[in-house]
Amino acid sequence: MTVRKPPVIFLVTVTAAGIFATNMYVPSLPAIAIDLAASERAVQFTMTAFLIVFAVFQLVYGPLADRYGRKRIMLGGLTIFMIANVIAASAQSIEWLLVARVLQAVGACAGLVISRAMVRDTYERGESARIMAYLGMGSGVSSSVAPLLGGALQGWTGDWRSSFVFMSVFTLGPMLVLALTVRETLRREDAARGGLGGMVRDYFSLLRTPEYMLFSVGAAMMNATFFAFLTTAPFILINVVGASPERLGVVLLYITTGFFVGNLVVSRIGARFPLERMILGGSTLCFAGVAIFTVLALGGARSEEAIALPMLLFGLGNGFVLPPSSVIAVSVRPQVAGTASALYGFNAFGLGALGTVVAGLISNDTQVPLGLAMMAMTGMAVVFFATGTIITRRRDVARLRG
């Protein structure tokens, strides 16, 4: 039976809702600290907590979506997300904002993890890379537009709560499309069985698959690099460059431009070139970008350009890394695509949370500590991808000989 494909624009917007929740409020972090009488680290922890919960609950949504269908589980997650935004917009203390951010994460991750599974349900492996690239472009644009909007709303209203109000309004669109027009993409005969025991077995089977783990964790290290930069950059812009934290949106625009271009290229060539080759080349570009960032910092460069331009190269490389990595993740065992997508997301945002912890421990008085941390994380990613590529090639050669 042919499954009706969900509109790509719907998949992009439902993914964007989760991206907005991640970083739209970042330009307002200093304002939140002042308004709620909280320390910088306490405010940064609202990002760390979000990422940890975002990662963990993907492990819940994936198996549920494999067993009970994509549509109803995603709709439930978006409902929780809407409620969380209301709580955040009315928070009067850092503790209540933290509660709201935790609930935001519980709801927001549903769209991200289930949209990848929907792509795997309705497209072949080669075509999936093209669709994932479109989602990647949408995510890249969202990750850039979100802090720009957040900074603009902060400037226009003088109130950090306006970002959470905006997210509530934005999410209404994909919620209505999902409820009224999108059909279930999981075939009844493909639904997973076995209850909790089956879920655990599915996860362990993926953990024992070297190809899956190497590419999944490698992509997660790139995510950790980005989130370490994201949570440190507003304070570096103030302390080092002397710019306002709202300029973070402009700096992220450079990253997004590179990411968009990389995704655009992948959307055109993804079906013609080996996914592993694109990932390895892209990760090398990422490492080159953060190495240049670090060298400029060591040389005493203290300008916005010295931060933004090297990160443009990092964004370009990531555009070649993330879409193919997600395709590999959900294609290793197509019958549990939701579970595979969930573990992929858990790795990505779990290590992303680790990146924010690292950011909270390093000095914001210069870019050097951040640059060295990013070099270490991207360097590990290159090693993981290279090892995964070697294993994949050996497997393919053995298959041809057999």
Side-chain angles (χ1 to χ4, degrees):
M1 183 182 73
T2 302
V3 177
R4 180 179 173 183
K5 295 179 174 67
V8 174
I9 187 63
F10 160 74
L11 296 174
V12 169
T13 53
V14 79
T15 301
I19 301 298
F20 281 174
T22 303
N23 64 2
M24 176 171 277
Y25 84 133
V26 168
S28 297
L29 290 181
I32 292 172
I34 294 171
D35 186 48
L36 300 182
S39 67
E40 288 184 0
R41 291 193 176 180
V43 176
Q44 284 179 319
F45 186 71
T46 64
M47 172 71 81
T48 303
F50 176 94
L51 293 174
I52 292 172
V53 176
F54 197 99
V56 170
F57 268 81
Q58 289 189 66
L59 297 178
V60 177
Y61 281 120
L64 289 178
D66 281 338
R67 283 156 176 79
Y68 304 112
R70 318 301 191 197
K71 181 174 178 175
R72 70 176 71 175
I73 301 300
M74 184 186 286
L75 193 58
L78 292 178
T79 302
I80 295 172
F81 182 63
M82 291 286 289
I83 295 170
N85 284 320
V86 174
I87 296 174
S90 58
Q92 298 298 318
S93 67
I94 192 65
E95 291 80 12
W96 271 109
L97 180 60
L98 181 60
V99 170
R101 288 290 287 166
V102 167
L103 286 176
Q104 256 196 322
V106 171
C109 66
L112 192 65
V113 66
I114 298 175
S115 61
R116 287 194 296 258
M118 284 180 163
V119 172
R120 185 60 190 85
D121 290 340
T122 53
Y123 293 91
E124 297 300 324
R125 189 177 191 266
E127 185 72 358
S128 292
R130 184 176 67 87
I131 302 302
M132 290 292 191
Y134 288 141
L135 297 188
M137 285 188 282
S139 297
V141 170
S142 300
S143 66
S144 176
V145 169
L148 282 172
L149 279 174
L153 288 169
Q154 176 70 38
W156 292 337
T157 67
D159 189 352
W160 57 267
R161 304 171 195 277
S162 55
S163 292
F164 296 99
V165 174
F166 176 88
M167 282 186 268
S168 296
V169 175
F170 177 86
T171 308
L172 280 175
M175 276 189 74
L176 291 173
V177 172
L178 176 63
L180 301 176
T181 67
V182 175
R183 295 183 181 178
E184 178 58 56
T185 63
L186 180 66
R187 298 175 181 87
R188 187 182 300 272
E189 61 271 20
D190 291 338
R193 303 285 188 270
L196 180 60
M199 294 182 191
V200 173
R201 284 192 297 273
D202 290 341
Y203 277 123
F204 273 104
S205 70
L206 291 168
L207 290 171
R208 291 194 299 267
T209 306
E211 179 186 11
Y212 177 88
M213 289 303 299
L214 286 166
F215 285 101
S216 178
V217 175
M221 294 305 300
M222 292 300 182
N223 220 36
T225 303
F226 174 73
F227 279 110
F229 176 82
L230 182 67
T231 53
T232 305
F235 301 102
I236 287 179
L237 286 171
I238 294 174
N239 300 334
V240 179
V241 180
S244 66
E246 286 81 6
R247 294 295 296 176
L248 175 64
V250 178
V251 173
L252 289 180
L253 188 59
Y254 283 82
I255 301 177
T256 302
T257 299
F259 189 68
F260 186 89
V261 171
N263 275 273
L264 182 62
V265 174
V266 171
S267 72
R268 301 297 175 85
I269 69 173
R272 299 197 300 271
F273 286 85
L275 302 180
E276 294 81 7
R277 185 184 302 174
M278 289 190 288
I279 292 170
L280 190 58
S283 62
T284 303
L285 286 176
C286 289
F287 183 80
V290 298
I292 293 171
F293 177 99
T294 307
V295 169
L296 289 174
L298 289 169
R302 297 293 184 267
S303 67
E304 188 175 298
E305 292 75 17
I307 296 173
L309 291 175
M311 296 307 291
L312 170 68
L313 188 58
F314 172 81
L316 176 64
N318 245 349
F320 285 92
V321 168
L322 298 184
S325 296
S326 62
V327 171
I328 290 175
V330 298
S331 300
V332 171
R333 291 189 62 200
Q335 66 274 26
V336 289
T339 302
S341 177
L343 185 56
Y344 177 89
F346 172 80
N347 291 333
F349 285 90
L351 287 180
L354 180 61
T356 67
V357 172
V358 171
L361 296 175
I362 62 179
S363 170
N364 296 328
D365 296 330
T366 171
Q367 310 101 294
V368 174
L370 175 62
L372 294 174
M374 292 195 299
M375 282 187 66
M377 289 184 281
T378 53
M380 285 188 283
V382 172
V383 172
F384 288 138
F385 290 141
T387 306
T389 300
I390 292 170
I391 291 174
T392 301
R393 287 177 179 173
R394 287 178 176 174
R395 181 205 62 198
D396 292 342
V397 169
R399 185 178 298 166
L400 288 173
R401 289 177 177 175

